[in-house]
Amino acid sequence: LQTNSNDQRTMKLNILALPAVFLGVEAFAPSPLPQQQSSAFRKQSSPPSKLFALNTYARTKWNPRGPSTSGFGSATATSVPYDAIRAELKLLMDNPSWDDGSLAPIFIRLAWHSSGTYDAATGTGGSNGAGMRFATEAADPENAGLEVARAFLEPVKRKFPSISYSDLWILAAYVGLEHTGGPMIPFQPGRMDHPDETYWELKNMSYGRLPAAEKYCCPHLDDSNVSSSLDETGKVKGWEGLCTHVRNEVFYRMGFNDQEIVALLCGGHVYGRCHPNFSGYAGPWVEYPTQFSNE
């Protein structure tokens, strides 16, 4: 966090808080639902020593609050009613019209995708700016479907115009985590919105900063030909290239280590489901896609 760049400081505060959230979670079964839980998802408690190490690591390595708020955007904490906005966001979370009855997963995805363009070396990208409001960044194939999340948050923005879109998207994810059984993350305000999308060219931005699920893998094949897409060990052909993409081209670029990459990828995919019209895939990753857990 030793930088005077608003973009860099803002980015570190929001994306690096998320691995700490998932690294610190204890193994637990979600609250029982009327249906019987599948034995495939029953979890074993980790050894106390390992949990202690992870919790200690999370507390000491990351500080979600970061440094003082001086130097952040023009809106101050006293001029924006964050408590009222939190309360309004909580009213939105349970929505039977969307997926599994919760908007929390898609708000979390919006926050991550707005943050995941960060480049530590140049200080470009990240959630500061809310560039997905404009056509160029919104058209990134990895952002397909996020217009839904942005539309659900528009009434909140209209009711509380003093909050930036950049702050609103991140705060919505924090409230979503809390509402679904996760921890309450102290919120660091001050992100400023881009006035237009000239930043895209001025900062030499381009597609490819977000992780692509099948990059360097074999082309998608239908079920009848799936065996031809696997190597002799049963792995999808090209998986080595995908690993290189995820580690070197995406997360190392942002300053993550391997443990943090696993925490963010696995923790994030506990939430929500895939949509064929957005990604080509269908269905949830886990049995309870609206509950905070390490399932």
Side-chain angles (χ1 to χ4, degrees):
L1 296 175
Q2 300 303 312
T3 173
N4 291 323
S5 166
N6 282 349
D7 281 355
Q8 281 188 306
R9 291 179 60 194
T10 303
M11 187 58 202
K12 285 286 187 181
L13 286 171
N14 67 62
I15 68 168
L16 298 185
L18 290 177
V21 170
F22 293 112
L23 279 170
V25 65
E26 296 187 12
F28 70 96
S31 302
L33 297 182
Q35 65 203 62
Q36 184 176 0
Q37 186 181 8
S38 166
S39 60
F41 294 102
R42 290 175 188 156
K43 292 162 287 299
Q44 299 295 322
S45 295
S46 301
S49 58
K50 183 177 182 181
L51 285 175
F52 177 79
L54 288 177
N55 285 321
T56 301
Y57 173 88
R59 287 195 302 270
T60 57
K61 187 169 181 64
W62 308 120
N63 176 8
R65 289 195 68 84
S68 68
T69 58
S70 61
F72 277 70
S74 58
T76 64
T78 56
S79 65
V80 182
Y82 291 105
D83 289 342
I85 296 171
R86 271 187 178 272
E88 190 74 17
L89 289 169
K90 288 179 181 179
L91 295 176
L92 284 182
M93 291 298 161
D94 297 324
N95 188 323
S97 72
W98 180 252
D99 281 356
D100 301 280
S102 175
L103 295 178
I106 199 168
F107 288 161
I108 293 169
R109 180 171 175 246
L110 174 65
W112 157 240
H113 279 240
S114 69
S115 303
T117 57
Y118 179 61
D119 185 309
T122 63
T124 58
S127 65
N128 203 45
M132 216 183 303
R133 293 173 296 132
F134 304 112
T136 305
E137 189 169 336
D140 187 322
E142 303 306 321
N143 288 331
L146 288 174
E147 65 275 8
V148 175
R150 299 194 298 273
F152 273 120
L153 290 173
E154 273 301 317
V156 181
K157 174 62 176 172
R158 288 196 297 268
K159 186 173 182 178
F160 301 98
S162 58
I163 189 172
S164 66
Y165 281 101
S166 310
D167 273 349
L168 178 61
W169 294 355
I170 301 302
L171 182 57
Y174 283 14
V175 173
L177 285 165
E178 177 189 351
H179 187 73
T180 54
M184 181 176 179
I185 305 174
F187 179 65
Q188 178 70 69
R191 298 162 189 81
M192 298 177 67
D193 295 337
H194 294 312
D196 52 45
E197 59 178 349
T198 54
Y199 75 94
W200 189 267
E201 293 183 0
L202 294 174
K203 296 187 176 183
N204 295 314
M205 297 280 288
S206 63
Y207 293 158
R209 290 191 174 191
L210 293 170
E214 296 180 338
K215 192 167 185 178
Y216 305 128
C217 287
C218 65
H220 178 73
L221 301 174
D222 60 48
D223 291 343
S224 62
N225 296 317
V226 68
S227 60
S228 63
S229 69
L230 306 177
D231 63 20
E232 61 277 5
T233 68
K235 297 185 180 75
V236 176
K237 292 177 181 178
W239 67 267
E240 303 95 334
L242 179 58
C243 288
T244 298
H245 165 62
V246 169
R247 296 170 92 188
N248 297 67
E249 296 178 358
V250 178
F251 287 97
Y252 286 177
R253 185 200 70 224
M254 291 188 282
F256 285 91
N257 63 36
D258 286 348
Q259 185 182 33
E260 294 150 359
I261 294 171
V262 172
L264 182 56
L265 284 178
C266 294
H269 285 98
V270 163
Y271 282 104
R273 61 171 55 234
C274 300
H275 302 82
N277 54 325
F278 299 153
S279 66
Y281 295 93
W285 290 85
V286 297
E287 194 165 5
Y288 302 113
T290 62
Q291 297 185 42
F292 181 88
S293 76
N294 64 352
E295 186 177 310

